[in-house]
């Protein structure tokens, strides 16, 4: 696996108490980064992840926040900065999923899917920029979805598709807007991951993406020699081709 040296860096992964976020955070800790385990309601799970991260000999903190709330995001970053220092690596992972026909999704769930996937990415990235610009070094990695760059949609889970398309547009915009600041902004976009809620009848290469596949893509953008790569999206989908010809 790609193995960047992140000693001396501080990393924040949103939604890192469970699932993909948990594994991404542990991969960062394994490579020497001080890490902030973020959660909203899963305090016990966050504490368990923090204990695992400490086994790598790095500084670790846990922090609770609703990352769709601007004030909560500000407090989140202030806490991380106070405990670990300015955030150098931000992974925007948190995001709700609603595998239901769009007409059956209630309004609160619709907003939660849009806000946790897209608004949270915007709020956390914006808050991280001041520190990154001050040090002239920063890496933002957003979690997208494998067909979002093609604007392909389905009546099932529609707000998720919309939000992830927005995440990829935001990634490209922010990469252009930070090109003189020592910051790169990229995305990693899975199709089906080993912990996904819904599995199709067939999968590319006969399996879902493993957590290790997601970590590999993230670490690629954190390599020292990847500093010219910005505004890019890596589809972690095994060669999935959702178009029908």
């Amino acid at each position: 696996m790609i193995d960047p040296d992140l000693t001396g860096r501080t990393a924040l992964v949103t939604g890192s108490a469970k699932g993909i976020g948990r594994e991404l955070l542990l991969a960062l800790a394994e490579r020497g980064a001080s890490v902030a385990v973020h959660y909203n309601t899963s305090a016990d799970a966050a504490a368990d992840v923090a204990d695992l991260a400490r086994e790598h000999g790095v500084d670790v903190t846990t922090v609770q926040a609703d990352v769709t709330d601007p004030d909560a995001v500000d407090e989140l970053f202030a806490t991380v900065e106070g405990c670990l220092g300015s955030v150098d690596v931000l992974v925007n992972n948190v995001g709700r999923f609603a595998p239901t026909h769009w007409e059956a999704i209630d309004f609160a769930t619709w907003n939660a899917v849009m806000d946790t996937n897209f608004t949270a990415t915007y709020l956390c990235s914006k808050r991280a920029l001041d520190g990154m610009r001050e040090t002239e070094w920063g890496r933002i990695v957003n979690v997208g979805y494998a067909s979002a760059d093609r604007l392909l949609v389905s009546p099932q889970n529609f707000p998720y598709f919309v939000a992830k398309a927005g995440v990829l547009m935001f990634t490209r915009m922010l990469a252009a807007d930070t090109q003189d600041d020592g910051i790169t902004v990229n995305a990693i976009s899975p199709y089906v991951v080993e912990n996904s809620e819904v599995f199709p009848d067939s999968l590319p290469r006969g399996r879902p993406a493993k957590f290790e596949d997601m970590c590999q893509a993230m670490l690629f953008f954190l390599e020292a020699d990847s500093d010219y790569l910005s505004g890019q999206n890596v589809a972690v989908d095994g060669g999935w081709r959702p178009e029908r010809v």
Side-chain angles (χ1 to χ4, degrees), residues 91-238:
V91 180
N92 286 305
N93 161 74
V94 73
R96 286 278 300 276
F97 193 76
T100 305
H101 191 278
W102 71 272
E103 289 182 293
I105 298 173
D106 63 80
F107 189 59
T109 300
W110 178 286
N111 285 335
V113 172
M114 295 287 286
D115 287 343
T116 55
N117 284 284
F118 181 61
T119 304
T121 295
Y122 144 69
L123 288 174
C124 290
S125 298
K126 182 180 179 181
R127 180 57 177 79
L129 287 180
D130 285 346
M132 292 179 176
R133 283 176 170 139
E134 184 175 343
T135 60
E136 298 183 331
W137 197 96
R139 299 291 179 265
I140 297 175
V141 179
N142 300 321
V143 176
Y145 179 70
S147 71
D149 58 342
R150 302 180 179 103
L151 300 182
L152 300 177
V153 297
S154 166
Q156 308 293 324
N157 206 22
F158 179 74
Y160 180 81
F161 291 109
V162 173
K164 290 304 189 184
V167 166
L168 296 188
M169 290 179 69
F170 182 78
T171 298
R172 294 182 62 201
M173 179 280 296
L174 192 56
D177 202 39
T178 57
Q179 60 183 288
D180 299 323
D181 301 325
I183 299 167
T184 67
V185 188
N186 295 287
I188 55 176
S189 296
Y191 170 39
V192 180
V193 186
E194 61 180 272
N195 69 324
S196 293
E197 294 180 34
V198 178
F199 283 79
D201 293 334
S202 63
L203 288 167
R205 303 178 189 269
R207 67 171 177 85
K210 298 178 182 178
F211 293 136
E212 290 86 348
D213 299 318
M214 292 293 291
C215 292
Q216 177 84 341
M218 174 190 69
L219 294 171
F220 169 66
F221 288 123
L222 304 183
E223 274 279 16
D225 291 336
S226 294
D227 58 342
Y228 195 71
L229 303 175
S230 196
Q232 303 307 304
N233 174 47
V234 170
V236 188
D237 63 3

Side-chain angles (χ1 to χ4, degrees), residues 8-92:
R9 303 296 187 188
T10 295
L12 166 64
V13 181
T14 65
S16 47
K18 297 180 180 179
I20 294 172
R22 174 185 187 273
E23 302 305 321
L24 296 178
L25 180 131
L26 292 175
L28 295 171
E30 184 178 354
R31 283 148 187 88
S34 300
V35 291
V37 183
H38 162 258
Y39 69 97
N40 189 14
T41 60
S42 304
D44 291 343
D48 291 341
V49 177
D51 288 341
L52 290 173
R54 290 188 183 96
E55 293 178 4
H56 296 291
V58 299
D59 293 330
V60 183
T61 191
T62 61
V63 59
Q64 187 278 335
D66 174 1
V67 287
T68 69
D69 181 309
D71 292 335
V73 168
D74 190 54
E75 292 179 10
L76 162 65
F77 275 81
T79 299
V80 175
E81 290 161 354
C83 294
L84 303 176
S86 181
V87 173
D88 303 298
V89 177
L90 169 65
V91 180
N92 286 305

